[in-house]
Amino acid sequence: MRENESNWFAKWEEQLPNPEELIPISQTLITPDLAMAFDIGTSNNPPNNHNSGEFDSSELGGDEPARTLKRPRLVWTPQLHKRFVDAVAHLGIKNAVPKTIMQLMNIEGLTRENVASHLQKYRLYLKRMQGLSAGGSGFGSGGDPVTDHLFASSPVPPHFLHQSHHNSDGFLQYMPVAALQQQQQQQMAGNHVHRHFGSAHLSRQPNQHVHMVGTPVRNAYVDDLESANGQKALTLFPVGDD
DNA sequence: GGGGAAATAT
DNA sequence: CATATTTCCC
């Protein structure tokens, strides 16, 4: 009997599938590409991402553990970055500082530090871009100009480059977004605005032909931002002077 | 407090 | 190794 017992265990153990053969119980039904195309979030898209490291037990009914606790590492998805770029475009380089950008982006859980860090990298990226677009006559050496996966994913508004010649400020008119109104740390009572970045609007591509009322505009960068109220502000940035 | 750059961390 | 976070300084 004893022999029998160990035997069945051995057999049972042998028949266990290898870890590689296991199929995860929870699978992503929507591929990242599809998710991106339809602007819907995948299971791990929103700022609360994989919890790496310690995590407090309370997730049931827990409303805002976000405060004071170690936030999960933020992943800058292309959608998130696009919203970042749009926000910066709205504000203009001048007012594009972490705090204002963060407010304009209006994304739950996004901190000023997150934006500041990203802004730092983005500025470096822009500098590199205008660096090799200006004097970079030689092609052969370096390698791919845009190895920056993230930044390349979202078009850079043309006026970001062109180190501000004559225009010091105020040359781009923008509509203030409602979300930007000075709202202190006061969160609206009972405000469950769980918004997903990206919303439901397919973003228009740059260099498309945009026609406004009686005013055809060619080569314009169009960004769209949406406030918490659902108000929308469009900004057109003419590229050339037609 | 808040922006920016550099130093760490993952 | 790329990228996000933390630290430090103004």
Side-chain angles (χ1 to χ4, degrees):
Chain A
M1 269 310 177
R2 169 152 303 287
E3 185 176 305
N4 230 355
E5 216 169 18
S6 56
N7 216 10
W8 76 258
F9 182 80
K11 280 189 177 180
W12 173 79
E13 195 173 21
E14 282 178 11
Q15 291 174 1
L16 288 178
N18 296 329
E20 310 88 60
E21 297 173 320
L22 290 176
I23 300 176
I25 292 181
S26 65
Q27 282 217 54
T28 315
L29 296 180
I30 303 177
T31 66
D33 281 342
L34 274 180
M36 186 189 310
F38 288 90
D39 266 337
I40 57 182
T42 52
S43 52
N44 57 358
N45 238 353
N48 10 342
N49 242 336
H50 302 288
N51 347 316
S52 53
E54 308 108 74
F55 206 61
D56 231 32
S57 50
S58 60
E59 66 172 20
L60 297 177
D63 282 336
E64 325 220 355
R67 215 167 284 219
T68 315
L69 280 181
K70 218 175 188 179
R71 293 174 187 270
R73 191 186 174 99
L74 174 67
V75 178
W76 283 87
T77 66
Q79 299 98 308
L80 195 49
H81 174 64
K82 189 203 178 305
R83 201 172 173 80
F84 168 83
V85 174
D86 283 349
V88 176
H90 265 278
L91 297 168
I93 316 286
K94 201 181 164 187
N95 304 327
V97 293
K99 190 177 182 179
T100 49
I101 296 176
M102 179 200 64
Q103 290 173 145
L104 188 56
M105 288 179 70
N106 191 254
I107 284 174
E108 173 192 3
L110 189 67
T111 71
R112 188 178 58 86
E113 288 80 5
N114 290 138
V115 177
S117 170
H118 194 66
L119 181 61
Q120 180 182 18
K121 286 191 308 173
Y122 191 60
R123 282 175 175 156
L124 261 53
Y125 169 73
L126 290 182
K127 190 177 295 181
R128 289 179 44 201
M129 287 292 286
Q130 60 188 41
L132 55 82
S133 67
S137 49
F139 264 80
S141 54
D144 216 53
V146 263
T147 316
D148 305 73
H149 311 289
L150 215 203
F151 294 148
S153 70
S154 212
V156 175
H159 60 279
F160 278 12
L161 312 172
H162 291 181
Q163 54 183 56
S164 62
H165 357 261
H166 41 298
N167 320 319
S168 50
D169 66 285
F171 77 103
L172 35 89
Q173 65 287 28
Y174 62 90
M175 303 174 171
V177 173
L180 194 52
Q181 290 164 351
Q182 19 166 292
Q183 68 184 116
Q184 285 291 72
Q185 304 168 345
Q186 284 283 359
Q187 190 118 17
M188 291 174 164
N191 189 12
H192 266 200
V193 189
H194 277 198
R195 71 185 323 287
H196 285 170
F197 29 89
S199 276
H201 300 279
L202 293 180
S203 47
R204 268 147 291 194
Q205 293 303 312
N207 299 330
Q208 83 171 141
H209 291 206
V210 178
H211 293 274
M212 300 193 68
V213 238
T215 310
V217 180
R218 297 200 314 161
N219 295 332
Y221 175 86
V222 183
D223 73 66
D224 55 343
L225 286 172
E226 188 178 338
S227 72
N229 302 334
Q231 271 189 313
K232 194 171 179 180
L234 286 181
T235 312
L236 299 182
F237 301 107
V239 172
D241 26 85
D242 289 2

